[in-house]
Amino acid sequence: MKDGSTSAVTDRNHAREGARGYVTERKRNPFVSSLAGGRILSASQLPWFLVLPPRGFGVISTRGRRTGKTRRKCVRAIRSGDKAFIVSIGGARASWLKNVRANPDVRLRIRGGSFTGVAREVRAAEMQEALAAYCETVNPVDYAECAMHRPGRPTRSKIKELHRTWFDRGIPLVVELRQ
């Protein structure tokens, strides 16, 4: 009886976390376990990423939906041709995603330049392309990222699994890049 009730509580907590958009891996590190920690981490990375974003990452600039000010956020961005795939791992609660939904015109600074583009949620027809690009691409910085989110030594398979979890539980977006 006790095991069954414990399991039910765990299932409810897991369902509640999934409903809020949290990803279980994010509980391990204080910088990635809360929205405030995520903001601090992004703010600390921002100056470096603006100068030279590491391969597989970038800075998305959006227009604030209320203030109209430019807002910047560090994101994992995988370029594939004239598209870049990103995922809101904070779910619909992420402020930058709310800004994108209010005004889809964005600027994305990635390795290779700064691009303007239109961001939108991935359509069903391009879901496989987005999944392959986002989850199968492993860059050197991904090993440090994985160490922040998962216990143990980062491996290529752990990184792919982490990105797959984010893709499945988050909100995948595509930015159609213009020069």
Side-chain angles (χ1 to χ4, degrees):
M1 178 95 170
K2 193 171 191 177
D3 291 343
S5 64
T6 303
S7 176
V9 169
T10 303
D11 290 344
R12 273 197 311 272
N13 288 340
H14 182 65
R16 189 178 312 125
E17 289 167 359
R20 283 193 240 157
Y22 291 115
V23 178
T24 352
E25 289 82 8
R26 299 179 75 198
K27 290 185 175 185
R28 184 170 175 263
N29 184 314
F31 287 113
V32 295
S33 63
S34 68
L35 292 175
R39 284 192 294 269
I40 292 168
L41 182 63
S42 181
S44 67
Q45 293 172 332
L46 191 60
W48 307 106
F49 282 25
L50 283 171
V51 173
L52 183 63
R55 189 169 288 116
F57 289 85
V59 177
I60 187 167
S61 300
T62 61
R63 179 82 39 210
R65 64 193 177 285
R66 294 183 190 155
T67 64
K69 294 180 181 177
T70 299
R71 303 293 182 189
R72 291 181 279 193
K73 180 75 174 172
C74 296
V75 294
R76 182 166 194 274
I78 304 299
R79 185 174 180 184
S80 176
D82 61 347
K83 297 177 183 177
F85 297 101
I86 57 179
V87 174
S88 172
I89 61 175
R93 294 174 20 148
S95 296
W96 68 268
L97 179 61
K98 291 176 184 177
N99 291 340
V100 165
R101 286 178 170 166
N103 181 3
D105 294 324
V106 299
R107 183 161 202 74
L108 188 62
R109 171 93 168 105
I110 54 177
R111 185 64 70 98
S114 191
F115 301 89
T116 59
V118 177
R120 61 174 170 75
E121 291 187 34
V122 173
R123 296 183 184 122
E126 58 194 0
M127 193 63 75
Q128 283 306 109
E129 178 188 3
L131 180 69
Y134 194 84
C135 300
E136 295 299 318
T137 304
V138 177
N139 294 301
V141 177
D142 291 335
Y143 288 88
E145 174 192 60
C146 185
M148 292 177 69
H149 291 274
R150 293 269 170 103
R153 190 173 143 252
T155 63
R156 190 173 188 80
S157 62
K158 276 187 183 180
I159 292 167
K160 287 181 178 184
E161 182 182 305
L162 176 65
H163 294 160
R164 178 63 191 245
T165 302
W166 290 350
F167 191 88
D168 290 342
R169 294 185 184 171
I171 299 173
L173 302 164
V174 61
V175 179
E176 295 170 346
L177 303 173
R178 298 184 296 249
Q179 206 53 1

